[in-house]
Coordinates of all heavy atoms in Angstrom, one line a residue:
M24 N -40.2 -21.7 -45.5 CA -40.2 -21.3 -44.2 C -41.7 -21.0 -43.8 O -42.4 -20.5 -44.6 CB -39.4 -19.9 -44.0 CG -39.6 -19.2 -42.7 SD -38.6 -17.8 -42.5 CE -37.2 -18.5 -41.8
L25 N -42.0 -21.4 -42.5 CA -43.4 -21.1 -42.0 C -43.3 -20.0 -41.0 O -42.6 -20.2 -40.0 CB -43.8 -22.5 -41.4 CG -45.3 -22.6 -41.0 CD1 -46.2 -22.2 -42.2 CD2 -45.6 -24.0 -40.5
H26 N -44.0 -19.0 -41.2 CA -44.0 -17.8 -40.3 C -45.3 -17.8 -39.5 O -46.4 -17.4 -40.1 CB -43.8 -16.5 -41.1 CG -44.0 -15.3 -40.4 ND1 -43.6 -15.2 -39.0 CD2 -44.4 -14.0 -40.7 CE1 -43.9 -13.9 -38.6 NE2 -44.3 -13.2 -39.6
L27 N -45.2 -18.1 -38.2 CA -46.4 -18.2 -37.4 C -46.4 -17.2 -36.2 O -47.3 -17.1 -35.4 CB -46.6 -19.6 -36.8 CG -46.9 -20.7 -37.9 CD1 -46.9 -22.1 -37.2 CD2 -48.2 -20.4 -38.6
A28 N -45.3 -16.5 -36.0 CA -45.1 -15.6 -34.9 C -46.0 -14.4 -35.0 O -46.1 -13.8 -36.1 CB -43.7 -15.2 -34.8
A29 N -46.8 -14.2 -34.0 CA -47.7 -13.0 -34.1 C -48.3 -12.7 -32.7 O -48.4 -13.6 -31.9 CB -48.9 -13.4 -35.1
A30 N -48.7 -11.5 -32.6 CA -49.5 -11.1 -31.4 C -51.0 -11.4 -31.9 O -51.4 -10.9 -32.9 CB -49.4 -9.6 -31.1
V31 N -51.7 -12.3 -31.2 CA -53.0 -12.7 -31.7 C -54.1 -12.1 -30.7 O -53.8 -12.0 -29.5 CB -53.1 -14.2 -31.8 CG1 -52.1 -14.8 -32.8 CG2 -52.9 -14.9 -30.4
G32 N -55.2 -11.8 -31.2 CA -56.3 -11.2 -30.4 C -57.1 -10.3 -31.3 O -56.9 -9.1 -31.4
V33 N -58.2 -10.9 -31.8 CA -59.1 -10.2 -32.7 C -59.7 -9.0 -32.0 O -59.7 -7.8 -32.5 CB -60.2 -11.1 -33.3 CG1 -61.2 -10.2 -34.1 CG2 -59.6 -12.2 -34.1
G34 N -60.2 -9.2 -30.7 CA -60.8 -8.1 -30.0 C -59.8 -7.0 -29.6 O -60.0 -5.9 -29.8
Q35 N -58.8 -7.5 -28.9 CA -57.8 -6.6 -28.3 C -57.1 -5.7 -29.4 O -56.7 -4.6 -29.2 CB -56.7 -7.3 -27.5 CG -57.2 -8.1 -26.3 CD -57.5 -9.6 -26.7 OE1 -58.1 -9.8 -27.7 NE2 -57.1 -10.5 -25.9
S36 N -56.9 -6.3 -30.6 CA -56.3 -5.5 -31.7 C -57.1 -4.3 -32.1 O -56.6 -3.4 -32.7 CB -56.0 -6.4 -32.9 OG -57.2 -6.8 -33.5
M37 N -58.4 -4.3 -31.7 CA -59.2 -3.2 -32.1 C -58.9 -2.0 -31.2 O -59.1 -0.8 -31.6 CB -60.7 -3.5 -31.9 CG -61.2 -4.6 -32.9 SD -61.1 -4.0 -34.6 CE -60.0 -5.2 -35.3
Y38 N -58.5 -2.2 -29.9 CA -58.2 -1.1 -29.0 C -56.7 -0.9 -28.7 O -56.3 0.0 -28.0 CB -59.1 -1.1 -27.8 CG -59.1 -2.3 -27.0 CD1 -58.0 -2.6 -26.1 CD2 -60.1 -3.3 -27.1 CE1 -58.0 -3.7 -25.3 CE2 -60.1 -4.4 -26.3 CZ -59.1 -4.7 -25.4 OH -59.0 -5.8 -24.7
E39 N -55.9 -1.8 -29.2 CA -54.4 -1.6 -29.1 C -53.8 -1.8 -30.5 O -52.9 -2.7 -30.7 CB -53.8 -2.7 -28.2 CG -54.2 -2.4 -26.7 CD -53.5 -3.4 -25.8 OE1 -52.2 -3.3 -25.7 OE2 -54.1 -4.3 -25.2
P40 N -54.2 -1.1 -31.5 CA -53.7 -1.3 -32.8 C -52.3 -1.0 -33.0 O -51.6 -1.6 -33.8 CB -54.6 -0.3 -33.7 CG -55.1 0.7 -32.8 CD -55.3 0.0 -31.4
D41 N -51.7 -0.1 -32.2 CA -50.3 0.2 -32.4 C -49.5 -1.0 -32.0 O -48.5 -1.3 -32.7 CB -49.9 1.5 -31.6 CG -50.4 1.4 -30.1 OD1 -51.3 0.6 -29.8 OD2 -49.8 2.1 -29.3
Y42 N -49.8 -1.6 -30.9 CA -49.1 -2.8 -30.4 C -49.2 -4.0 -31.5 O -48.2 -4.6 -31.9 CB -49.6 -3.3 -29.1 CG -49.0 -4.6 -28.7 CD1 -47.7 -4.8 -28.3 CD2 -49.9 -5.8 -28.7 CE1 -47.2 -6.1 -28.0 CE2 -49.3 -7.0 -28.4 CZ -48.0 -7.1 -28.0 OH -47.5 -8.4 -27.7
Y43 N -50.4 -4.3 -31.9 CA -50.6 -5.4 -32.8 C -50.0 -5.1 -34.2 O -49.4 -6.0 -34.8 CB -52.1 -5.7 -33.0 CG -52.6 -6.4 -31.7 CD1 -53.0 -5.8 -30.6 CD2 -52.5 -7.8 -31.7 CE1 -53.4 -6.5 -29.5 CE2 -53.0 -8.5 -30.6 CZ -53.4 -7.8 -29.5 OH -53.7 -8.5 -28.3
T44 N -50.2 -3.9 -34.7 CA -49.5 -3.5 -36.0 C -48.0 -3.6 -35.9 O -47.4 -4.1 -36.8 CB -50.0 -2.1 -36.4 OG1 -51.4 -2.1 -36.5 CG2 -49.4 -1.7 -37.7
G45 N -47.5 -3.1 -34.8 CA -46.0 -3.1 -34.6 C -45.5 -4.5 -34.6 O -44.5 -4.8 -35.3
T46 N -46.1 -5.3 -33.8 CA -45.6 -6.7 -33.7 C -45.8 -7.5 -35.0 O -44.9 -8.1 -35.5 CB -46.4 -7.4 -32.6 OG1 -46.2 -6.8 -31.3 CG2 -45.9 -8.9 -32.4
N47 N -47.0 -7.4 -35.6 CA -47.3 -8.3 -36.7 C -46.7 -7.7 -38.1 O -46.1 -8.4 -38.8 CB -48.8 -8.5 -36.8 CG -49.3 -9.3 -35.6 OD1 -48.5 -9.9 -34.9 ND2 -50.6 -9.2 -35.3
N48 N -47.0 -6.4 -38.3 CA -46.6 -5.9 -39.6 C -45.1 -5.6 -39.6 O -44.4 -6.0 -40.5 CB -47.4 -4.6 -39.9 CG -48.8 -4.9 -40.2 OD1 -49.3 -6.0 -40.0 ND2 -49.6 -3.9 -40.6
L49 N -44.6 -4.8 -38.6 CA -43.2 -4.5 -38.5 C -42.4 -5.8 -38.3 O -41.3 -6.0 -38.9 CB -42.9 -3.5 -37.4 CG -41.5 -3.0 -37.3 CD1 -41.0 -2.4 -38.6 CD2 -41.3 -2.0 -36.2
G50 N -42.9 -6.7 -37.5 CA -42.2 -8.0 -37.2 C -42.0 -8.7 -38.5 O -41.0 -9.3 -38.8
T51 N -43.1 -8.8 -39.4 CA -43.0 -9.5 -40.6 C -42.0 -8.8 -41.5 O -41.2 -9.4 -42.3 CB -44.3 -9.6 -41.3 OG1 -45.2 -10.4 -40.4 CG2 -44.2 -10.4 -42.6
A52 N -42.0 -7.4 -41.5 CA -41.0 -6.7 -42.3 C -39.6 -7.0 -41.9 O -38.7 -7.1 -42.7 CB -41.3 -5.2 -42.2
V53 N -39.3 -7.1 -40.6 CA -38.0 -7.5 -40.1 C -37.6 -8.8 -40.6 O -36.5 -9.1 -41.1 CB -37.9 -7.4 -38.6 CG1 -36.7 -8.0 -38.0 CG2 -38.1 -6.0 -38.1
L54 N -38.5 -9.8 -40.6 CA -38.2 -11.1 -41.1 C -37.9 -11.1 -42.6 O -37.0 -11.7 -43.1 CB -39.5 -12.0 -40.9 CG -39.4 -13.4 -41.5 CD1 -38.2 -14.2 -40.9 CD2 -40.7 -14.2 -41.3
L55 N -38.7 -10.3 -43.4 CA -38.5 -10.2 -44.8 C -37.2 -9.6 -45.1 O -36.5 -10.0 -46.1 CB -39.7 -9.4 -45.5 CG -41.0 -10.0 -45.4 CD1 -42.1 -9.0 -46.0 CD2 -41.1 -11.3 -46.2
K56 N -36.8 -8.6 -44.3 CA -35.5 -8.0 -44.6 C -34.3 -9.0 -44.3 O -33.4 -9.1 -45.1 CB -35.3 -6.8 -43.6 CG -34.1 -6.0 -43.8 CD -34.0 -4.8 -42.9 CE -32.7 -4.0 -43.1 NZ -32.7 -2.9 -42.1
L57 N -34.5 -9.8 -43.2 CA -33.5 -10.9 -43.0 C -33.5 -11.9 -44.1 O -32.4 -12.4 -44.4 CB -33.7 -11.5 -41.6 CG -33.4 -10.7 -40.4 CD1 -34.0 -11.3 -39.2 CD2 -32.0 -10.4 -40.3
L58 N -34.6 -12.2 -44.7 CA -34.7 -13.2 -45.8 C -34.0 -12.7 -47.0 O -33.6 -13.5 -47.9 CB -36.2 -13.6 -46.0 CG -36.8 -14.4 -44.9 CD1 -38.2 -14.8 -45.3 CD2 -36.0 -15.7 -44.6
L59 N -33.9 -11.4 -47.2 CA -33.1 -10.9 -48.3 C -31.7 -11.3 -48.3 O -31.1 -11.6 -49.3 CB -33.2 -9.3 -48.4 CG -34.5 -8.7 -48.7 CD1 -34.4 -7.2 -48.5 CD2 -35.0 -9.0 -50.1
Q60 N -31.2 -11.4 -47.1 CA -29.8 -11.9 -46.9 C -29.7 -13.4 -46.9 O -28.6 -14.0 -47.1 CB -29.2 -11.3 -45.6 CG -29.1 -9.8 -45.7 CD -29.2 -9.2 -44.3 OE1 -29.1 -9.8 -43.3 NE2 -29.5 -7.9 -44.2
N61 N -30.8 -14.0 -46.5 CA -30.8 -15.5 -46.3 C -32.1 -16.1 -47.1 O -33.0 -16.5 -46.4 CB -30.9 -15.9 -44.9 CG -29.7 -15.3 -44.1 OD1 -28.6 -15.8 -44.2 ND2 -30.0 -14.2 -43.3
P62 N -32.1 -16.1 -48.4 CA -33.3 -16.4 -49.1 C -33.8 -17.8 -48.8 O -33.0 -18.7 -48.6 CB -32.8 -16.2 -50.6 CG -31.6 -15.4 -50.6 CD -30.9 -15.7 -49.2
V63 N -35.1 -18.0 -48.9 CA -35.7 -19.3 -48.8 C -36.5 -19.5 -50.0 O -36.9 -18.5 -50.7 CB -36.6 -19.4 -47.5 CG1 -35.8 -19.4 -46.3 CG2 -37.7 -18.3 -47.5
K64 N -36.9 -20.7 -50.3 CA -37.6 -21.0 -51.6 C -39.1 -20.5 -51.5 O -39.6 -20.0 -52.4 CB -37.6 -22.5 -51.8 CG -37.9 -23.0 -53.2 CD -37.6 -24.4 -53.4 CE -38.0 -24.9 -54.7 NZ -37.8 -26.4 -54.9
R65 N -39.7 -20.8 -50.3 CA -41.1 -20.4 -50.1 C -41.3 -19.9 -48.7 O -40.8 -20.5 -47.8 CB -41.9 -21.6 -50.4 CG -43.4 -21.3 -50.2 CD -44.2 -22.6 -50.6 NE -44.2 -22.8 -52.0 CZ -44.8 -23.8 -52.6 NH1 -45.4 -24.7 -51.9 NH2 -44.7 -24.0 -53.9
L66 N -42.1 -18.8 -48.6 CA -42.5 -18.4 -47.2 C -44.0 -18.5 -47.1 O -44.8 -18.0 -47.9 CB -42.1 -16.9 -47.1 CG -42.6 -16.2 -45.8 CD1 -42.0 -16.8 -44.6 CD2 -42.4 -14.7 -45.9
V67 N -44.4 -19.3 -46.1 CA -45.9 -19.5 -45.8 C -46.2 -18.6 -44.6 O -45.6 -18.8 -43.6 CB -46.2 -20.9 -45.6 CG1 -47.7 -21.1 -45.3 CG2 -45.8 -21.8 -46.8
V68 N -47.2 -17.8 -44.7 CA -47.7 -16.9 -43.6 C -49.1 -17.3 -43.2 O -50.0 -17.4 -44.1 CB -47.6 -15.4 -44.0 CG1 -48.1 -14.5 -42.9 CG2 -46.2 -15.1 -44.5
A69 N -49.3 -17.5 -41.9 CA -50.7 -17.9 -41.5 C -51.6 -16.6 -41.5 O -51.1 -15.6 -41.2 CB -50.6 -18.4 -40.1
S70 N -52.8 -16.9 -41.9 CA -53.7 -15.8 -41.9 C -55.1 -16.3 -41.6 O -55.2 -17.5 -41.2 CB -53.7 -15.0 -43.2 OG -54.4 -13.8 -43.1
S71 N -56.1 -15.5 -41.9 CA -57.5 -16.0 -41.6 C -58.5 -15.3 -42.5 O -58.1 -14.5 -43.4 CB -57.8 -15.6 -40.1 OG -57.9 -14.2 -40.0
M72 N -59.7 -15.6 -42.3 CA -60.8 -14.9 -43.1 C -60.8 -13.4 -42.9 O -61.4 -12.7 -43.8 CB -62.1 -15.5 -42.9 CG -62.7 -15.3 -41.5 SD -64.3 -16.0 -41.3 CE -65.3 -15.2 -42.6
S73 N -60.2 -12.9 -41.9 CA -60.1 -11.4 -41.7 C -59.3 -10.8 -42.9 O -59.6 -9.7 -43.3 CB -59.3 -11.1 -40.4 OG -59.9 -11.6 -39.3
I74 N -58.4 -11.6 -43.5 CA -57.7 -11.2 -44.6 C -58.2 -11.8 -45.9 O -58.4 -11.1 -46.9 CB -56.2 -11.6 -44.5 CG1 -55.6 -10.9 -43.3 CG2 -55.4 -11.2 -45.8 CD1 -55.5 -9.4 -43.3
Y75 N -58.5 -13.1 -45.9 CA -58.9 -13.7 -47.1 C -60.4 -13.4 -47.5 O -60.7 -13.5 -48.7 CB -58.9 -15.2 -46.9 CG -57.5 -15.8 -46.7 CD1 -57.3 -16.7 -45.6 CD2 -56.5 -15.4 -47.5 CE1 -56.1 -17.2 -45.4 CE2 -55.2 -15.9 -47.3 CZ -55.0 -16.8 -46.2 OH -53.8 -17.3 -46.0
G76 N -61.2 -12.9 -46.6 CA -62.6 -12.6 -46.9 C -63.5 -13.8 -46.6 O -63.0 -14.8 -46.0
E77 N -64.7 -13.8 -47.0 CA -65.7 -14.8 -46.7 C -65.4 -16.2 -47.3 O -65.7 -17.1 -46.7 CB -67.1 -14.3 -47.2 CG -68.2 -15.3 -47.1 CD -68.5 -15.6 -45.6 OE1 -68.4 -14.7 -44.8 OE2 -68.8 -16.8 -45.3
G78 N -64.8 -16.2 -48.4 CA -64.5 -17.5 -49.1 C -65.5 -17.8 -50.1 O -66.5 -17.1 -50.3
L79 N -65.4 -19.0 -50.7 CA -66.2 -19.4 -51.8 C -67.3 -20.4 -51.2 O -67.1 -21.1 -50.2 CB -65.4 -20.2 -52.8 CG -64.3 -19.3 -53.4 CD1 -63.5 -20.2 -54.5 CD2 -64.8 -18.1 -54.1
Y80 N -68.4 -20.4 -51.9 CA -69.5 -21.3 -51.6 C -69.9 -22.1 -52.9 O -69.7 -21.6 -54.0 CB -70.7 -20.6 -51.0 CG -70.4 -20.2 -49.6 CD1 -69.7 -19.0 -49.3 CD2 -70.9 -20.9 -48.5 CE1 -69.4 -18.7 -48.0 CE2 -70.7 -20.6 -47.2 CZ -69.9 -19.4 -46.9 OH -69.7 -19.1 -45.7
R81 N -70.6 -23.2 -52.7 CA -71.0 -24.0 -53.8 C -72.5 -24.3 -53.6 O -72.9 -24.5 -52.5 CB -70.3 -25.3 -53.9 CG -70.7 -26.2 -55.0 CD -69.8 -27.5 -55.1 NE -69.7 -28.2 -53.8 CZ -70.7 -29.0 -53.3 NH1 -71.8 -29.2 -54.0 NH2 -70.5 -29.6 -52.2
S82 N -73.3 -24.3 -54.6 CA -74.7 -24.6 -54.5 C -74.8 -26.1 -54.1 O -74.0 -26.9 -54.6 CB -75.5 -24.3 -55.7 OG -75.0 -25.0 -56.8
T83 N -75.9 -26.5 -53.4 CA -76.0 -27.9 -53.0 C -77.1 -28.5 -53.8 O -77.5 -29.6 -53.4 CB -76.4 -27.9 -51.5 OG1 -77.5 -27.1 -51.2 CG2 -75.1 -27.5 -50.7
D84 N -77.7 -27.9 -54.8 CA -78.8 -28.5 -55.5 C -78.4 -29.3 -56.7 O -79.1 -29.6 -57.6 CB -79.7 -27.4 -56.0 CG -79.0 -26.3 -56.9 OD1 -77.8 -26.6 -57.2 OD2 -79.7 -25.4 -57.3
G85 N -77.1 -29.7 -56.8 CA -76.6 -30.5 -57.9 C -75.9 -29.7 -59.0 O -75.2 -30.2 -59.8
I86 N -76.2 -28.4 -59.0 CA -75.6 -27.6 -60.1 C -74.3 -27.1 -59.5 O -74.2 -26.6 -58.4 CB -76.5 -26.4 -60.4 CG1 -77.8 -26.8 -60.9 CG2 -75.8 -25.5 -61.4 CD1 -78.9 -25.7 -61.0
D87 N -73.2 -27.4 -60.2 CA -71.9 -27.1 -59.6 C -71.5 -25.6 -59.8 O -70.7 -25.3 -60.7 CB -70.8 -28.0 -60.3 CG -69.6 -28.2 -59.4 OD1 -69.7 -27.8 -58.2 OD2 -68.6 -28.6 -59.9
L88 N -72.2 -24.8 -59.1 CA -72.0 -23.3 -59.3 C -71.1 -22.8 -58.1 O -71.5 -23.0 -57.0 CB -73.4 -22.7 -59.3 CG -73.4 -21.1 -59.4 CD1 -72.8 -20.7 -60.8 CD2 -74.8 -20.6 -59.2
I89 N -70.0 -22.1 -58.5 CA -69.2 -21.5 -57.4 C -69.7 -20.1 -57.2 O -69.8 -19.3 -58.2 CB -67.7 -21.5 -57.9 CG1 -67.2 -22.9 -58.3 CG2 -66.8 -20.9 -56.8 CD1 -67.2 -23.9 -57.2
I90 N -69.8 -19.7 -55.9 CA -70.4 -18.4 -55.6 C -69.3 -17.7 -54.8 O -68.9 -18.2 -53.8 CB -71.7 -18.5 -54.9 CG1 -72.7 -19.3 -55.8 CG2 -72.2 -17.2 -54.5 CD1 -73.9 -19.9 -55.0
D91 N -69.0 -16.5 -55.2 CA -68.0 -15.7 -54.5 C -68.7 -14.4 -54.0 O -69.6 -14.0 -54.6 CB -66.9 -15.3 -55.5 CG -65.7 -14.7 -54.8 OD1 -65.7 -14.7 -53.6 OD2 -64.8 -14.3 -55.5
G92 N -68.2 -13.9 -52.9 CA -68.7 -12.6 -52.5 C -70.0 -12.6 -51.7 O -70.8 -11.7 -51.8
C93 N -70.3 -13.7 -51.0 CA -71.5 -13.8 -50.2 C -71.5 -12.8 -49.1 O -70.4 -12.6 -48.5 CB -71.7 -15.2 -49.6 SG -72.1 -16.4 -50.8
E94 N -72.6 -12.1 -48.9 CA -72.7 -11.2 -47.7 C -73.9 -11.5 -46.9 O -74.9 -11.9 -47.5 CB -72.7 -9.7 -48.2 CG -71.3 -9.3 -48.7 CD -71.3 -7.8 -49.1 OE1 -72.2 -7.1 -48.7 OE2 -70.3 -7.4 -49.6
R95 N -73.9 -11.2 -45.6 CA -75.0 -11.3 -44.8 C -75.7 -10.0 -44.6 O -75.1 -9.0 -44.5 CB -74.6 -11.9 -43.4 CG -74.1 -13.3 -43.5 CD -73.5 -13.7 -42.2 NE -72.8 -15.0 -42.3 CZ -71.6 -15.2 -42.7 NH1 -70.8 -14.1 -43.0 NH2 -71.1 -16.4 -42.9
T96 N -77.0 -10.0 -44.7 CA -77.8 -8.8 -44.5 C -77.9 -8.4 -43.0 O -77.6 -9.3 -42.2 CB -79.2 -8.9 -45.1 OG1 -79.9 -9.9 -44.3 CG2 -79.2 -9.3 -46.5
A97 N -78.2 -7.2 -42.7 CA -78.4 -6.8 -41.4 C -79.4 -7.6 -40.7 O -79.3 -8.0 -39.5 CB -78.7 -5.2 -41.3
E98 N -80.5 -8.0 -41.4 CA -81.6 -8.8 -40.8 C -81.1 -10.2 -40.5 O -81.4 -10.7 -39.4 CB -82.7 -8.9 -41.8 CG -83.5 -7.6 -42.1 CD -82.8 -6.6 -42.8 OE1 -81.9 -6.9 -43.7 OE2 -83.0 -5.4 -42.6
Q99 N -80.2 -10.7 -41.4 CA -79.6 -12.1 -41.0 C -78.8 -12.0 -39.8 O -78.9 -12.9 -38.9 CB -78.8 -12.6 -42.2 CG -79.5 -13.1 -43.4 CD -78.5 -13.5 -44.5 OE1 -77.9 -12.7 -45.0 NE2 -78.5 -14.8 -44.8
L100 N -77.9 -11.0 -39.7 CA -77.1 -10.9 -38.5 C -77.9 -10.7 -37.2 O -77.6 -11.3 -36.2 CB -76.1 -9.6 -38.7 CG -75.1 -9.8 -39.8 CD1 -74.3 -8.5 -40.0 CD2 -74.2 -11.0 -39.7
K101 N -78.9 -9.9 -37.3 CA -79.8 -9.7 -36.1 C -80.4 -11.0 -35.7 O -80.6 -11.3 -34.5 CB -80.8 -8.6 -36.4 CG -80.4 -7.2 -36.2 CD -81.5 -6.2 -36.4 CE -80.9 -4.8 -36.7 NZ -81.8 -4.0 -37.4
A102 N -80.8 -11.8 -36.7 CA -81.5 -13.1 -36.4 C -80.5 -14.2 -36.1 O -81.0 -15.3 -35.8 CB -82.4 -13.4 -37.6
G103 N -79.2 -13.9 -36.2 CA -78.2 -15.0 -35.9 C -78.2 -16.0 -37.0 O -77.9 -17.2 -36.7
I104 N -78.5 -15.6 -38.2 CA -78.4 -16.6 -39.3 C -77.1 -16.5 -40.0 O -76.9 -15.4 -40.7 CB -79.6 -16.4 -40.3 CG1 -80.9 -16.5 -39.6 CG2 -79.5 -17.3 -41.5 CD1 -82.1 -16.1 -40.4
W105 N -76.2 -17.4 -39.8 CA -74.9 -17.3 -40.3 C -74.6 -18.0 -41.6 O -73.7 -17.7 -42.4 CB -73.9 -17.9 -39.3 CG -74.1 -17.3 -37.9 CD1 -74.5 -17.9 -36.8 CD2 -74.0 -15.9 -37.5 NE1 -74.7 -17.0 -35.8 CE2 -74.3 -15.8 -36.2 CE3 -73.6 -14.8 -38.2 CZ2 -74.3 -14.6 -35.5 CZ3 -73.5 -13.6 -37.5 CH2 -73.9 -13.5 -36.1
E106 N -75.5 -19.0 -41.9 CA -75.4 -19.7 -43.2 C -75.8 -18.9 -44.4 O -76.5 -17.9 -44.2 CB -76.2 -21.0 -43.2 CG -76.0 -21.9 -42.0 CD -74.5 -22.4 -41.9 OE1 -73.9 -22.5 -42.9 OE2 -74.1 -22.6 -40.7
H107 N -75.3 -19.2 -45.5 CA -75.7 -18.5 -46.8 C -76.7 -19.4 -47.5 O -76.6 -20.6 -47.6 CB -74.5 -18.2 -47.6 CG -73.6 -17.1 -47.1 ND1 -74.0 -15.9 -46.9 CD2 -72.3 -17.2 -46.7 CE1 -73.0 -15.1 -46.4 NE2 -72.0 -15.9 -46.3
Y108 N -77.6 -18.7 -48.2 CA -78.6 -19.4 -49.0 C -78.7 -18.7 -50.4 O -78.4 -17.5 -50.5 CB -80.0 -19.3 -48.3 CG -80.0 -19.9 -47.0 CD1 -79.6 -19.3 -45.8 CD2 -80.4 -21.3 -46.8 CE1 -79.6 -19.9 -44.6 CE2 -80.4 -21.9 -45.6 CZ -80.0 -21.2 -44.5 OH -80.0 -21.9 -43.3
D109 N -79.1 -19.5 -51.4 CA -79.3 -18.9 -52.7 C -80.7 -18.3 -52.8 O -81.4 -18.3 -51.8 CB -79.0 -19.9 -53.8 CG -80.1 -21.1 -53.8 OD1 -81.1 -20.9 -53.2 OD2 -79.8 -22.1 -54.5
G110 N -81.0 -17.7 -53.9 CA -82.3 -17.0 -54.1 C -83.4 -17.9 -53.9 O -84.6 -17.4 -53.6
D111 N -83.3 -19.2 -54.1 CA -84.4 -20.2 -53.9 C -84.5 -20.7 -52.5 O -85.3 -21.6 -52.2 CB -84.3 -21.3 -54.9 CG -84.3 -20.9 -56.4 OD1 -85.1 -19.9 -56.6 OD2 -83.6 -21.4 -57.2
G112 N -83.6 -20.2 -51.6 CA -83.7 -20.7 -50.2 C -82.9 -21.9 -49.9 O -82.9 -22.6 -48.9
N113 N -82.0 -22.4 -50.9 CA -81.2 -23.6 -50.7 C -79.9 -23.2 -50.0 O -79.3 -22.1 -50.4 CB -80.8 -24.2 -52.1 CG -82.1 -24.7 -52.8 OD1 -82.9 -25.4 -52.3 ND2 -82.2 -24.2 -54.1
R114 N -79.5 -23.9 -49.0 CA -78.3 -23.6 -48.3 C -77.1 -23.8 -49.1 O -77.0 -24.8 -49.8 CB -78.2 -24.5 -47.0 CG -77.1 -24.1 -46.1 CD -77.3 -24.9 -44.8 NE -76.0 -25.1 -44.2 CZ -75.8 -25.7 -43.0 NH1 -76.8 -26.3 -42.4 NH2 -74.6 -25.8 -42.5
L115 N -76.1 -22.9 -49.1 CA -74.9 -23.0 -49.8 C -73.9 -23.7 -49.0 O -73.9 -23.6 -47.7 CB -74.4 -21.6 -50.2 CG -75.3 -20.8 -51.1 CD1 -74.7 -19.4 -51.3 CD2 -75.6 -21.5 -52.4
A116 N -73.0 -24.4 -49.6 CA -71.9 -25.2 -48.9 C -70.6 -24.5 -49.1 O -70.2 -24.1 -50.2 CB -71.8 -26.6 -49.5
P117 N -69.9 -24.2 -48.0 CA -68.5 -23.6 -48.1 C -67.5 -24.6 -48.7 O -67.6 -25.8 -48.5 CB -68.1 -23.3 -46.7 CG -68.9 -24.3 -45.8 CD -70.2 -24.5 -46.6
I118 N -66.6 -24.0 -49.5 CA -65.6 -24.9 -50.2 C -64.2 -24.2 -49.9 O -64.1 -23.0 -49.6 CB -65.8 -25.1 -51.7 CG1 -65.9 -23.7 -52.4 CG2 -67.1 -25.9 -52.0 CD1 -66.0 -23.8 -53.9
P119 N -63.1 -25.0 -50.1 CA -61.8 -24.5 -49.8 C -61.4 -23.2 -50.6 O -61.8 -23.1 -51.8 CB -60.9 -25.6 -50.1 CG -61.8 -26.9 -50.0 CD -63.1 -26.4 -50.5
T120 N -60.7 -22.3 -50.0 CA -60.2 -21.2 -50.7 C -59.1 -21.6 -51.7 O -58.2 -22.4 -51.3 CB -59.6 -20.1 -49.7 OG1 -60.7 -19.7 -48.8 CG2 -59.0 -18.9 -50.4
S121 N -59.2 -21.1 -52.9 CA -58.2 -21.6 -53.9 C -56.9 -20.8 -53.6 O -56.8 -19.8 -52.9 CB -58.7 -21.2 -55.3 OG -59.0 -19.9 -55.3
Ligands
NAD214 N1 -55.5 -20.0 -33.9 C1 -56.3 -19.6 -34.9 O1 -57.5 -19.9 -34.9 C2 -55.7 -18.8 -36.0 C3 -56.6 -18.4 -37.1 C4 -56.1 -17.7 -38.1 C5 -54.7 -17.3 -38.2 N2 -53.9 -17.6 -37.1 C6 -52.6 -17.2 -37.2 O2 -51.7 -18.3 -37.0 C7 -50.5 -17.8 -36.4 C8 -50.2 -18.6 -35.1 O3 -51.3 -18.4 -34.2 P1 -51.5 -19.3 -32.9 O4 -53.0 -19.4 -32.8 O5 -50.7 -20.5 -32.9 O6 -51.1 -18.2 -31.8 P2 -50.1 -18.4 -30.6 O7 -50.3 -17.1 -29.7 O8 -50.2 -19.7 -29.9 O9 -48.7 -18.3 -31.3 C9 -48.1 -17.1 -31.7 C10 -46.6 -17.2 -31.3 O10 -46.0 -16.0 -31.7 C11 -45.0 -15.6 -30.7 N3 -44.7 -14.3 -30.8 C12 -45.5 -13.2 -30.5 N4 -44.8 -12.0 -30.7 C13 -43.6 -12.4 -31.2 C14 -42.5 -11.6 -31.5 N5 -42.5 -10.2 -31.5 N6 -41.4 -12.2 -31.9 C15 -41.4 -13.6 -32.0 N7 -42.4 -14.4 -31.6 C16 -43.5 -13.8 -31.2 C17 -45.7 -16.0 -29.4 O11 -44.8 -16.2 -28.3 C18 -46.4 -17.3 -29.8 O12 -45.6 -18.4 -29.5 C19 -50.7 -16.3 -36.1 O13 -50.1 -15.6 -37.3 C20 -52.2 -16.2 -36.1 O14 -52.6 -14.9 -36.5 C21 -54.4 -18.4 -36.1

């Protein structure tokens, strides 16, 4: 089963948390309760990096190094630098979340 029903809105959910939490969390709980009576083999729920986190990166200098937990500094954010770089200034490449 693929569960895609949701109230969507990253910005609005910040000032209407009761509505978004009620629709998405309680709504999913209602679905899960119904699935107890009508089991499915697999339930796929859509999500995003808000839940998964930043994701993984790989170095681009030929060394196959997987990097987890990249963070942007306040200076990077102020300068609008969204890409990640290693300590030598090489740009990192995003790779699929496992
Ligand atoms: N579009 C994106 O970029 C993106 C990114 C990450 C995750 N998602 C997730 O993917 C899923 C689908 O998103 P979308 O972009 O297709 O949004 P969408 O608004 O097009 O689809 C959501 C659907 O859920 C329905 N819905 C809302 N409340 C409901 C309720 N109480 N009961 C039954 N149905 C209800 C809406 O009518 C709508 O058809 C969501 O869970 C969303 O959080 C979307």
Side-chain angles (χ1 to χ4, degrees):
M24 169 178 274
L25 189 56
H26 174 32
L27 296 174
V31 300
V33 174
Q35 298 94 313
S36 67
M37 295 294 121
Y38 53 82
E39 289 186 66
D41 51 341
Y42 169 71
Y43 283 85
T44 300
T46 301
N47 298 338
N48 294 4
L49 184 59
T51 300
V53 169
L54 174 65
L55 292 174
K56 188 176 174 186
L57 288 170
L58 290 179
L59 289 175
Q60 296 149 17
N61 305 283
V63 293
K64 196 169 176 185
R65 177 178 293 178
L66 174 65
V67 178
V68 180
S70 193
S71 69
M72 67 181 299
S73 301
I74 298 299
Y75 296 133
E77 174 64 39
L79 301 176
Y80 285 81
R81 179 177 56 76
S82 60
T83 55
D84 59 2
I86 303 168
D87 203 16
L88 178 66
I89 306 294
I90 300 158
D91 192 5
C93 288
E94 289 189 8
R95 295 170 185 84
T96 64
E98 289 72 31
Q99 281 178 297
L100 296 176
K101 277 184 199 158
I104 300 170
W105 310 113
E106 305 303 331
H107 286 301
Y108 297 87
D109 67 15
D111 297 326
N113 301 309
R114 187 170 153 181
L115 301 176
I118 58 174
T120 298
S121 54

